[in-house]
Every structure is written in C-alpha cells, then in structure tokens.
Amino acid sequence: MQKDIWENEYRKQKLVSMSEEPQASVKDFLRWLRKGEEKSKPPRQPVSLENINVLDLGCGTGKNARHIAGLDAGNKITGIEISETALRYARERDLLNPEPSKQITYVHQSIGEQFPFIDTAFDLAFDVTSSNSLDEKERAVFLSETHRVLKPGAYLFVRALCKDADKNAQYLLKHNPGPEKDTYIMPDLGLTERVFSRDDFIQTYSGATIGKPLFTLLHLEKETHYSKVADRLYKRNFWVAYLQK
C-alpha cells in the first residue's frame, strides 16, 4: 500500500519537491558538524566530512546524496528509497554529474524493513521527513536498524513533522484521522503521516517507546515552513534534530 502511494506520488508530484537544492536545515547540520563547539561539556570536536560513509534514509531523487558526494571524492553515500520512480529520476540526474555520482549507491526497499548492511557501517545518517510515513511497527524496525548500522558516536539528522502549534496538523488529525496515535491521512493522496509533540519525539528517538536505548539528543528546534501540496501552500511546523549514537 505505502509503496503504491509513493509510486503514484513521484509520478504525479503533488507533495514531493523535485528541486535539486538540499534543504537549508541539512546544510545547517553539515556546517554544525564541521564547526565543533569548544564551550560544550565535554567539548564537541569538529567532524570531518571527508572519506565518510553516509546513509540517506528515504533518499527520494537523490539531491542530498549528490550534495554530500560533492563535498569530498572519498565520501560514499547509500540511499534507501521505496519508490522505483524516484530512483529512476535519481539515476537520470546522476548522469548529469557523473563523477560524484559514482560515489552513490541506491537500494530499492522500504526504510521500515531490515537494512541489508553490516553492523556499524555508517558514519552519518539522514532522515529528512521520511520516517513520518511509517506505521509504529515499521518505525520500531527503522529505529533499531538505523542504530545498528551506525558506528558508535555517529550522528543522525532527523527532520520530522511537528504537532505542536501546527493548525494544519490539528485540522487533519481531527477531520482525516489515521489508524494510529497522532496520524492522519492526506486528502487526495491516501498517505498516512505521523506528527510528533516535543515529548513524543524525544521519547521515540531516545528509544523509550521500544524499550531500547538508542540516540542522545544534542539539538532540537522547531522550524516553520510552507509546504506545497497539489499547488496549494500550507504553513507547517517541523522538528529538526541532531542525535548521536
């Protein structure tokens, strides 16, 4: 069901953006990693973005993967994506910049299934508004698998849908409720999405909801953007989080 919805979405593009520009919050996170922080306790050392293995969870058409590949010739990026159509677009765009694209590998599957990677294979992972469409069973697999394949001390970037003070989220939860807690079904798309309160987000990514220690929260902020759905703009809130294994 979810696969069919995403296939249809990438064919008709009512929700997803086909822009090649990475989100500003992704670029901010990469700058944050490089900068380090002397005044933190303990001091946070700068992170090199060279010769790293990166996992892009729900990579879509590959814009973030291509951006990270372009930072250093030694970077290796693996993108997981459920939509064959999205991956076709990704590979077509890769051909326009073939050198860094040689550093990218795509895996066609849901991020809510067991990953085909060995333990501690990655230095960095991104979930850019992808896992919010998983159900709770899939999310538990997603969290456990993401934790498993990241190296000790590795970082995870998450951008997720925010419930707090979001009028559109509140409207959809009331008028188009989904089957699980804080989910709604997107009109005309049939896509079920999960929104998070601040406390729910922290509980989920800490591992409290599955009874397993997962990630330490280093940074959490709420961002407001306008999302375009079927040519209409909606004001939406998002959580942007930096986490560490």
Side-chain angles (χ1 to χ4, degrees):
M1 180 66 175
Q2 179 181 239
K3 179 180 178 180
D4 293 340
I5 290 171
W6 281 115
E7 276 298 318
N8 188 57
E9 172 55 29
Y10 274 101
R11 289 168 184 165
K12 298 184 178 180
Q13 300 157 26
K14 293 182 179 181
L15 175 64
V16 298
S17 168
M18 299 300 284
S19 168
E20 190 64 9
E21 183 67 17
Q23 291 85 352
S25 56
V26 170
K27 292 183 174 181
D28 289 343
F29 173 64
L30 295 172
R31 283 192 289 267
W32 179 86
L33 288 174
R34 281 173 160 162
K35 184 178 180 181
E37 190 175 357
E38 291 183 2
K39 295 182 179 180
S40 66
K41 296 182 180 180
R44 183 175 56 81
Q45 299 300 315
V47 175
S48 172
L49 299 181
E50 300 176 353
N51 295 305
I52 55 173
N53 290 326
V54 180
L55 182 59
D56 189 359
L57 297 152
C59 65
T61 59
K63 64 182 178 183
N64 292 318
R66 283 185 291 276
H67 178 74
I68 297 169
L71 298 178
D72 184 74
N75 290 344
K76 303 297 181 185
I77 300 88
T78 301
I80 301 180
E81 174 56 48
I82 196 172
S83 166
E84 292 183 23
T85 300
L87 291 180
R88 176 171 58 81
Y89 282 124
R91 293 185 176 104
E92 288 174 355
R93 293 183 177 196
D94 286 354
L95 293 175
L96 301 176
N97 204 354
E99 283 306 313
S101 295
K102 292 178 182 177
Q103 303 157 220
I104 305 172
T105 301
Y106 297 110
V107 176
H108 178 222
Q109 70 162 70
S110 168
I111 60 173
E113 301 172 355
Q114 184 175 358
F115 301 164
F117 314 122
I118 62 172
D119 295 356
T120 65
F122 296 95
D123 302 285
L124 190 60
F126 289 83
D127 168 15
V128 187
T129 331
S130 295
S131 63
N132 52 271
S133 63
L134 300 175
D135 63 30
E136 291 304 312
K137 183 178 179 180
E138 292 171 325
R139 183 170 293 105
V141 174
F142 164 80
L143 289 168
S144 294
E145 285 293 279
T146 301
H147 183 269
R148 178 182 67 81
V149 301
L150 284 174
K151 296 176 182 178
Y155 292 91
L156 169 65
F157 172 91
V158 178
R159 183 176 186 256
L161 292 168
C162 174
K163 177 183 176 182
D164 299 350
D166 189 306
K167 292 182 179 179
N168 277 301
Q170 300 295 337
Y171 178 88
L172 289 166
L173 288 169
K174 181 178 180 180
H175 296 281
N176 297 81
E180 297 180 330
K181 175 185 176 181
D182 286 342
T183 63
Y184 55 75
I185 301 172
M186 289 286 289
D188 301 324
L189 300 180
L191 180 67
T192 299
E193 292 189 318
R194 168 77 147 90
V195 290
F196 292 90
S197 69
R198 181 184 181 89
D199 287 345
D200 274 348
F201 183 92
I202 293 171
Q203 290 288 306
T204 297
Y205 282 87
S206 70
T209 55
I210 62 173
K212 174 183 178 181
L214 293 173
F215 299 101
T216 299
L217 181 65
L218 304 177
H219 171 85
L220 181 64
E221 64 179 305
K222 183 167 64 176
E223 291 188 347
T224 300
H225 298 281
Y226 285 88
S227 297
K228 192 173 184 180
V229 181
D231 295 323
R232 292 185 62 185
L233 287 176
Y234 296 88
K235 189 176 181 180
R236 298 303 309 265
N237 291 333
F238 299 85
W239 293 119
V240 174
Y242 308 166
L243 304 111
Q244 187 173 27
K245 177 176 173 179

